[in-house]
Amino acid sequence: DRRPSPLATAGGEPSPVSRTEAMTETETASSRNRIERYDPATIEPHWQRRWDDLRLYATDLEDDPRPRYYLLTMYPYPSGDIHIGHWYIKTPTDALARFQRMHGRNVFLPIGFDAFGLPAENAAIKNRINPRDWTMSNIANMRRQLRQMGATFDWDAEVVTCDPEYYRWNQWFFLRFLEAGLAYRAKSPVDWCPNDGTLAREQVEGVDRRCWRCGAKVEKRDLEQWYLRVTKYADELLDFS
C-alpha cells in the first residue's frame, strides 16, 4: 500500500500537529488508570458464574430442535495439574464448539477425566499416597483449572473413568465381548521398565530407550494380555456401500 500516511504532510514529513496528537494519545494510554483496563481476574470469574447460573452450555439432548453436533475433546490424565499441553488441545476444540453454535447447531461438548491409566497409578506410587486419594485430589484441582479457562464444556455430562458408576459399564461391555468370543488372551511383547513395570510406547524416551520416569533401561518382555478381535469386522468396516 503506497498511499501516504495520514500523519504526513505533502512533503512526506510528519506534521507538527499530527506528532503532537500522537504523543497525546500515547500519554493518555500509558497513564490510564488500571481499573479502567481489562482485568481478567475480576471480570472473567464474574461472567463465568453468570454462565453457570444460566446453564448456558448445558446441552438439551431431548427437546432442542436444532441439529445436534457431538464434539469430544481428549480427557486429561489426572496424574498432576493442568499444563499448557491441555490448553493446546482444548482451546481449538472450544473454538470449534463456539463456531458450530453460532451456525445454529445444538453442540454437545462433554468433559471428563481419564483416570484409569499408568500415569495416575505411577504418580500415586511415587508420592506414596493412596491412588484414589491422589487421583480425586488432582481431579478437583483440574476441575477448578478447567472452569477457570472459561471453555464451553457441558459440566452436567462430566465423567470420571475411575468412578465405579462409570467403569461398571466398561466391565459390562467386556463381558459381552467375552461371551461373543471377541475378547481373548495372547502373549505379545511390551515395553518393560524394571522399576515401573509396563510402559506405554510414549513413555519410552530416546534412541537408547529409557523410562521417562526413572531413566532405567527399557527392555522388551513377552506378557500375556487381553485383545479384542476387531479383525472379525475388517470387511464390514471397509464396505462403504
Side-chain angles (χ1 to χ4, degrees), residues 161-180:
T161 60
C162 64
D163 187 333
E165 286 302 309
Y166 178 88
Y167 68 70
R168 66 187 291 261
W169 294 108
N170 294 49
Q171 295 171 331
W172 185 88
F173 276 116
F174 179 81
L175 290 174
R176 303 291 84 76
F177 292 147
L178 189 64
E179 292 166 1

Side-chain angles (χ1 to χ4, degrees), residues 93-114:
T93 308
D94 181 60
L96 179 58
R98 295 171 187 270
F99 174 85
Q100 294 295 343
R101 287 190 186 94
M102 287 189 285
H103 281 74
R105 294 178 177 86
N106 182 27
V107 176
F108 179 44
L109 177 60
I111 188 62
F113 302 92
D114 187 3

Side-chain angles (χ1 to χ4, degrees), residues 162-236:
C162 64
D163 187 333
E165 286 302 309
Y166 178 88
Y167 68 70
R168 66 187 291 261
W169 294 108
N170 294 49
Q171 295 171 331
W172 185 88
F173 276 116
F174 179 81
L175 290 174
R176 303 291 84 76
F177 292 147
L178 189 64
E179 292 166 1
L182 298 174
Y184 65 98
R185 291 176 70 84
K187 273 192 175 183
S188 64
V190 300
D191 288 316
W192 180 268
C193 170
N195 299 315
D196 293 324
T198 305
L199 299 178
R201 182 63 191 87
E202 63 270 18
Q203 295 174 325
V204 182
E205 298 182 334
V207 294
D208 58 344
R209 294 176 45 79
R210 297 282 177 176
C211 174
W212 73 318
R213 189 174 297 279
C214 70
K217 184 73 173 177
V218 175
E219 63 184 58
K220 286 290 186 181
R221 180 176 292 190
D222 286 335
L223 293 180
E224 194 173 69
Q225 48 199 301
W226 284 102
Y227 285 88
L228 297 178
R229 208 181 303 274
V230 295
T231 51
K232 184 175 181 179
Y233 298 92
D235 293 336
E236 181 179 339

Side-chain angles (χ1 to χ4, degrees), residues 107-136:
V107 176
F108 179 44
L109 177 60
I111 188 62
F113 302 92
D114 187 3
F116 254 153
L118 289 170
E121 181 180 348
N122 288 341
I125 294 171
K126 179 181 178 181
N127 289 277
R128 299 179 180 274
I129 189 172
N130 183 288
R132 177 175 177 79
D133 294 341
W134 172 261
T135 299
M136 298 311 291

